[in-house]
Amino acid sequence: MATMTSIPLPSSSSSLHLNIYSSLPTFSPKHTHDHVPCWFRPTRQRLSSKTLPRGLRIRNAATKPAKSPAEEDWKIKREYLLQKKVRSVDVKEALRLQKENNFVILDVRPEAEFKEAHPPGAINVQIYRLIKEWTAWDIARRAAFAFFGIFSGTEENPEFIQSVESKIDKNAKIIVACAAGGTMKPTQNLPEGQQSRSLIAAYLLVLNGYANVFHLEGGLYKWFKEELPSVTEE
């Protein structure tokens, strides 16, 4: 009867792997990755400030810019407004203060809304404006607005404080107004009040050194509803 002779096999898969490449040149471990020869791997070069030409910088335009003061959490803005004793006034008191105490009404609505109707003597500096830039980030924001059927998306006006300073003295008494008004008063449904454009504007004014800032409770919607004086512009 014929006898069968056993043939020894490699003790592990790693031994088999080495036998397969035994006829190939030998490389040190630093030249391989996960047992894959280096000539199978594409080379990759990391760009850094040292490898870039002078004056050239890489910028990802689709990345959201850093948070601005206007984008701060409402809770923080509200606490700061209360700390600085920013007081809300109703529309009739605002009219009286404007007539008798030379208070300035700062209307922060878009210019088009301001021209349709506004309190006599009010000064307009819009806190938000139509999106102007065309970076990848701005295009993405336009698309997001368009998704909700809004084709005139807005962004924070970076020249808001600069424009206010060119029109209103730092010592002036200012009543900030927008359409809805918002409120700092807590309610059962809104324990921290309701943020609005005028409250955001008031926050920015106080941050930038305006000490006599007031807020129009109920907004210009209530002003017009009460049939208080208003003017239009062509």
Side-chain angles (χ1 to χ4, degrees):
M1 180 181 294
T3 60
M4 295 183 64
T5 304
S6 61
I7 301 174
L9 294 175
S11 60
S12 67
S13 59
S14 60
S15 300
L16 180 63
H17 175 83
L18 291 173
N19 289 337
I20 292 174
Y21 293 106
S22 60
S23 62
L24 298 176
T26 302
F27 293 87
S28 62
K30 68 180 181 179
H31 292 139
T32 61
H33 180 69
D34 294 336
H35 303 295
V36 179
C38 64
W39 59 82
F40 289 142
R41 293 186 295 108
T43 58
R44 179 182 298 175
Q45 182 178 3
R46 183 186 296 274
L47 291 177
S48 66
S49 58
K50 294 181 180 179
T51 59
L52 290 174
R54 183 181 296 274
L56 179 62
R57 293 292 179 269
I58 296 177
R59 176 175 177 266
N60 184 358
T63 303
K64 185 181 186 301
K67 181 190 291 187
S68 70
E71 295 173 315
E72 187 58 82
D73 292 340
W74 164 236
K75 182 178 180 179
I76 294 176
K77 290 200 285 278
R78 178 177 179 270
E79 289 176 354
Y80 190 76
L81 290 170
L82 293 173
Q83 177 187 338
K84 292 297 182 178
K85 299 184 177 2
V86 173
R87 186 167 67 89
S88 296
V89 297
D90 64 31
V91 292
K92 290 184 178 179
E93 184 181 3
L95 178 60
R96 181 186 66 79
L97 292 171
Q98 183 193 35
K99 287 184 175 181
E100 299 177 5
N101 299 86
N102 297 319
F103 275 57
V104 177
I105 296 178
L106 175 62
D107 188 337
V108 298
R109 296 177 301 161
E111 184 179 0
E113 294 181 28
F114 177 80
K115 288 182 176 181
E116 287 180 5
H118 59 265
I123 295 175
N124 178 232
V125 180
Q126 55 188 6
I127 189 170
Y128 291 99
R129 68 181 186 185
L130 294 176
I131 298 174
K132 291 185 176 182
E133 303 299 328
W134 287 94
T135 66
W137 168 247
D138 294 312
I139 292 172
R141 293 171 65 204
R142 282 184 170 89
F145 277 111
F147 179 80
F148 293 100
I150 303 172
F151 297 97
S152 55
T154 58
E155 63 183 356
E156 181 184 346
N157 179 8
E159 300 171 354
F160 174 72
I161 289 295
Q162 181 181 351
S163 298
V164 172
E165 290 177 342
S166 68
K167 297 179 180 182
I168 305 176
D169 187 79
K170 284 282 180 77
N171 296 320
K173 297 175 181 178
I174 305 173
I175 301 173
V176 190
C178 68
T183 182
M184 291 185 287
K185 297 177 182 177
T187 64
Q188 185 175 359
N189 295 328
L190 299 169
E192 295 177 356
Q194 178 66 54
Q195 182 172 227
S196 66
R197 289 179 292 180
S198 55
L199 285 169
I200 295 173
Y203 174 74
L204 295 179
L205 292 175
V206 173
L207 278 181
N208 286 274
Y210 284 89
N212 302 304
V213 178
F214 296 76
H215 160 251
L216 186 65
E217 189 86 21
L220 292 170
Y221 169 81
K222 189 171 182 181
W223 181 287
F224 301 136
K225 186 177 180 180
E226 296 281 341
E227 298 183 349
L228 298 182
S230 65
V231 294
T232 61
E233 294 183 14
E234 295 296 332

